[in-house]
Amino acid sequence: MNIGEDGCVFEMKESTVEAKTNDGTVYISDTENQRIVACDMTGKVSKVYQSIKISVLGSNYSFKPTRLVIDNTGDIQVLCDGINRGIMQITSEGVFSAFFGAPDVIIGLWDRIWRNFATEEQLAQMIPYDPTEYSSLTVDGRGFIYPTISALDETSVMQLKQLSLESTYSPVKKLSADGTDMLRRKGLAAPMGDLQWPKDLEYSPKIVDIAVDNESGRYTLLDQKTGRFSTYDTDGNLLYICGGLGTSVGTFEQANALDINGDYVYVADTGVTSKTITVFKATAYVQAINRAAEASSNGFWSESIPLWEEVLSYNSNMYIANIGLGKAEMRLAMNLIDDQKDESGLNALDHYERAIVYFNRANEKDNYSIAYTALRTNEMEKYFGLIFGGIAVLIVGYFVLGFVKTYRKKKKEKAKT
């Protein structure tokens, strides 16, 4: 129960606390009552957003908010049950602004060809390709919106596993103000949780929530089907996975929502017998990964090196740590000019050579190629004077030798006559 300023009592049905602003205002998506309720921490209601008018949906649509966030401008970004046009933007005054960031629709090659030649009657009988609804969303400190999709078909999962550049149908996106997906997918596979599932489960994951750490930019996906949550860095590299299905501590019947705060992860379980919130505290190993990822994300390359080395001390096979070390060495090399040396007495060539070693350990081909090319370019520049001088000497010597031969030949011919 919540009491409004006019003394009216508000009863919440299937409500979800979704956002809290800096002034302490809490926004609740009251789904079944078809409204958004704003109140303070004591439960005193300050504003109710109901009967939002949206002309493009007609007058028969039902406003059933399921998830929401407050962006940096104070507007409300809402997901509504039964609406697949993307994220609904509502001003702080309760006026509908626009839809943005609608999920992509994937149509197979054969269907594309068939639809080009099909008649109108055949097209009318085909199953329409409608966008999938978003399942959840969050916002980071820079104002980027992270929506998730809980339903993925087998074709999309295979494309995500192979990190296909043509696959934009991702279970998570990072949307800018104009709806452009800015999420980096540089890992071994696109961010999607587990890449393999038990045989008794259906093929695809079911991502139901996401949380972002503003300090490091890492984000965590919650897969309700496996009960596991997966954490990624800003490049989309998988850092670690935790959780599972079950009734024991640390597992879930029906994981439904999560949040992160520093080294703590909070997961809500809405299972029939559980109905709990489980708090996970990062181990020393995970804390080392978090600190290293945060340093790299914020550009503190020198500071990140001992942090990634600490990660390797826990797990020498942690390929992401080698990638982090390689990137740090490469960045340090870029900051040095000619034969300039840093505090450790290393020049650019030294750092590039170290970077190549780390990328080779991680089997990271793209960055390895960049570091190798930079190393060869720097070596060429270092010895350019000697190489150019040597070439010039050879050229001059060639012409001098030719001149001498010609002179001697003419001299011999003149002596004979």
Side-chain angles (χ1 to χ4, degrees), residues 71 77 85-89 98-104 134 143-147 168 172-183 185:
D71 64 20
Q77 312 291 336
R85 292 173 178 260
I87 301 172
M88 180 187 299
Q89 294 180 315
F99 287 107
F100 88 106
D104 299 308
Y134 285 128
F144 288 100
I145 305 294
Y146 293 72
T168 57
V172 58
K173 294 185 177 183
K174 179 181 179 180
L175 302 178
S176 61
D178 62 355
T180 302
D181 185 9
M182 306 295 290
L183 191 72
R185 299 175 178 87

Side-chain angles (χ1 to χ4, degrees), residues 71-87:
D71 64 20
N72 292 347
T73 66
D75 290 342
I76 309 173
Q77 312 291 336
V78 189
L79 299 182
C80 288
D81 184 30
I83 297 178
N84 61 0
R85 292 173 178 260
I87 301 172

Side-chain angles (χ1 to χ4, degrees), residues 83-210:
I83 297 178
N84 61 0
R85 292 173 178 260
I87 301 172
M88 180 187 299
Q89 294 180 315
I90 300 175
T91 66
S92 57
E93 289 76 26
V95 179
F96 169 74
S97 176
F99 287 107
F100 88 106
D104 299 308
V105 178
I106 288 184
I107 301 178
L109 178 61
W110 171 249
D111 286 342
R112 290 179 183 272
I113 296 174
W114 174 246
R115 286 172 179 269
N116 287 333
F117 295 98
T119 64
E120 293 184 1
E121 291 77 11
Q122 290 172 328
L123 288 173
Q125 295 176 359
M126 292 181 181
I127 299 175
Y129 284 89
D130 295 325
T132 305
E133 294 180 32
Y134 285 128
S135 58
S136 184
L137 79 167
T138 191
V139 61
D140 66 12
R142 299 174 59 190
F144 288 100
I145 305 294
Y146 293 72
T148 63
I149 296 174
S150 61
L152 291 175
D153 58 27
E154 183 173 343
T155 300
S156 300
V157 170
M158 291 304 298
Q159 289 179 334
L160 290 169
K161 280 188 176 184
Q162 299 168 5
L163 201 60
S164 171
L165 297 178
E166 298 178 356
S167 176
T168 57
Y169 193 70
S170 172
V172 58
K173 294 185 177 183
K174 179 181 179 180
L175 302 178
S176 61
D178 62 355
T180 302
D181 185 9
M182 306 295 290
L183 191 72
R184 295 173 61 86
R185 299 175 178 87
K186 300 296 183 180
L188 298 179
M192 58 180 292
D194 285 299
L195 298 182
Q196 296 180 343
W197 300 271
K199 294 181 179 179
D200 58 338
L201 293 179
E202 294 182 14
Y203 193 78
S204 61
K206 186 177 181 181
I207 306 301
V208 294
D209 203 5
I210 180 173

